[in-house]
Amino acid sequence: MERYFQPEIECASREQIRAWQDERLVKTVAHVYKNVPYYRNMMKEKGVEPGDIQSVDDLHKLPFLTKDDLRDAYPYGLLAVPLADAVRIQSTSGTTGRRVVAFYTQHDIDLWDECCARAIVAAGGTKEDVVHVCYGYGLFTGGPGLNGGSHKVGSLTLPMSSGNTERQIQFMIDLESTILCCTPSYAAYLGETVHEMGLRDKIKLKAGIFGAEAWSEEMRRDIEKTLGIKAYDIYGLTEISGPGVSFECSEQTGMHINEDHFIAEIINPETGEVLPEGEKGELVFTSITKEAFPLLRYRTRDICVLTRKECSCGRTHVKMSKPMGRSDDMLIIKGVNVFPSQIETVLLNKGYQANYQIIVDRVNNSDTLDVQVEMTPEMFSDSVTEVSAKEKELVNALKAMLGIYAKVQLVAPKTIARSEGKAVRIIDKRKLY
């Protein structure tokens, strides 16, 4: 039986959701125009005033915001409340140059916690559960987001943070963790380690909530098998709030966007044109309940599809597909668009685990694509002939998927560095910019 954290919101009528969005959008636009000079100048440049925005139908009139804008406005240029009213910052990880810093009032944190609570309940969480959070804490939003959501649900929360895998497993067994929250690559590593230690029968996990990096359906099935759980996707961005912008329900055919807090659009990444429902394009978000750091028409660079097809779970909020890549960091190799998820799909379909690295280079003005793949212990062989045959099989499968040649090197088990945070899948050695 499907459960909801806030059924009156999660199962609201489309008319009610639209009414909330219209009212909150108008209020948010007026709020940022009054309090954020950076926004006011952008809107004036486009010839837009708050009075021009009467409903969601007018959203297209507003200018887009990009990560470059957030860096240019660092640190306080997009803050929409007095600094004394802000109680926390979070920040993106791994950016070059200026970091992106997001601000929160206590009200913002309360709403964010509710969004994450919806995701936990959708994965079967109740106050009887033990939620094991090994996303990173600190500036990264993963740990604080799921931690706050678990508190809202009333679950026993283990704020483990990332790393120290043996301690993670010890607590998982001793405290009988039932819901695991971490990156999918770390979940795969935990599953592998639990299996190697012979402790599979000792863990009580029933579900996992995994996000912060791209992962394929094949990887989902692999994690579900090794940990004996149902694996749920969760999506978010530090800039918009963090995890909980959208989440999977039991149907697992996309992630429900919390539309009472965020308006989603799909645009053509080249022209900025808004695309109709069902078309693939770049995901754009407008936050309509944030006080400290509301973003209007923020370009996520994630490529996906939106659908309002009725969901068997009973939730009425629009669903987004898993991101199918990014408009700004997909690999263009020999003129062909290549997404790491395509390579991962081939590897997992051939029985390999999600331990691989993609190395792109340019030799004599021609792109090269090397894929290092870790063999499983069962596959490992000292026979050069056997390894060579396996490599050739993968070369052919990748050529069929990508349309271009990739050199494949099979390496011994445990030779590719494990990740306890976001996996470093791609090394691009080309000087493209």
Side-chain angles (χ1 to χ4, degrees), residues 351-402:
Y352 296 84
Q353 294 178 335
N355 298 316
Y356 64 93
Q357 206 151 56
I358 301 163
I359 301 163
V360 187
D361 207 344
R362 185 160 282 174
V363 179
N364 297 326
N365 295 318
S366 179
D367 291 340
T368 62
L369 174 61
D370 287 9
V371 184
Q372 293 188 352
V373 184
E374 196 174 274
M375 287 181 281
T376 64
E378 295 77 24
M379 291 177 178
F380 185 64
S381 170
D382 289 331
S383 166
V384 174
T385 305
E386 282 185 34
V387 171
S388 180
K390 288 187 173 76
E391 287 175 345
K392 187 174 181 181
E393 181 187 36
L394 281 178
V395 166
N396 292 334
L398 287 170
K399 179 77 182 293
M401 170 68 83
L402 306 174

Side-chain angles (χ1 to χ4, degrees), residues 397-414:
L398 287 170
K399 179 77 182 293
M401 170 68 83
L402 306 174
I404 58 172
Y405 171 80
K407 180 182 177 183
V408 174
Q409 181 186 4
L410 289 176
V411 299
K414 302 288 190 186

Side-chain angles (χ1 to χ4, degrees), residues 136-335:
Y137 280 68
L139 291 172
F140 179 57
T141 55
L146 273 300
N147 192 95
S150 178
H151 281 203
K152 284 281 186 186
V153 175
S155 308
L156 177 62
T157 309
L158 306 188
M160 300 296 297
S161 195
S162 56
N164 201 331
T165 301
E166 287 192 10
R167 184 180 65 185
Q168 299 275 5
I169 294 170
Q170 179 190 335
F171 269 74
M172 196 178 291
I173 293 169
D174 293 348
L175 292 166
E176 299 187 341
S177 304
T178 54
I179 297 178
L180 175 66
C181 304
C182 61
T183 59
S185 56
Y186 192 49
Y189 180 44
L190 281 169
E192 181 184 311
T193 307
V194 165
H195 179 74
E196 286 176 357
M197 294 173 74
L199 298 173
R200 173 68 181 75
D201 294 337
K202 300 278 190 184
I203 62 173
K204 307 291 186 185
L205 291 175
K206 66 179 185 181
I209 301 174
F210 308 128
E213 63 185 10
W215 54 307
S216 63
E217 286 301 310
E218 289 79 12
M219 189 172 183
R220 186 208 298 268
R221 301 300 162 225
D222 188 51
I223 291 169
E224 289 183 333
K225 183 179 176 183
T226 58
L227 288 173
I229 62 174
K230 186 162 183 174
Y232 294 80
D233 208 348
I234 190 169
Y235 175 89
L237 312 90
T238 299
E239 304 93 304
I240 298 296
S241 68
V245 171
S246 66
F247 61 89
E248 274 188 325
C249 62
S250 56
E251 189 178 275
Q252 297 191 318
T253 56
M255 291 173 278
H256 288 283
I257 294 169
N258 285 310
E259 286 191 279
D260 51 322
H261 299 298
F262 313 104
I263 301 173
E265 302 172 272
I266 295 290
I267 65 166
N268 179 320
E270 302 295 327
T271 66
E273 173 198 3
V274 179
L275 300 176
E277 181 185 324
E279 290 207 21
K280 184 167 74 171
E282 182 182 338
L283 182 61
V284 172
F285 277 119
T286 296
S287 48
I288 51 173
T289 54
K290 293 281 291 288
E291 293 178 334
F293 202 71
L295 300 188
L296 304 181
R297 302 199 83 198
Y298 181 70
R299 294 186 61 162
T300 68
R301 302 296 181 183
D302 284 324
I303 301 297
C304 72
V305 174
L306 297 181
T307 176
R308 288 190 170 80
K309 183 182 175 184
E310 187 175 329
C311 185
S312 62
C313 79
R315 291 176 179 85
T316 51
H317 294 225
V318 68
K319 282 199 286 195
M320 58 177 277
S321 66
K322 266 182 179 292
M324 303 166 181
R326 292 185 50 85
S327 65
D328 62 346
D329 70 355
M330 69 181 178
L331 296 165
I332 302 178
I333 302 170
K334 298 180 180 177

Side-chain angles (χ1 to χ4, degrees), residues 33 36-48 61-66 69-70 78 296-297:
Y33 191 87
V36 185
Y38 195 97
Y39 264 122
R40 191 158 58 244
N41 293 336
M42 288 181 72
M43 288 175 65
K44 283 181 177 177
E45 282 177 22
K46 204 171 180 194
V48 185
K61 298 175 183 177
L62 293 168
F64 290 113
L65 201 72
T66 67
D69 289 309
L70 271 61
L78 288 170
L296 304 181
R297 302 199 83 198

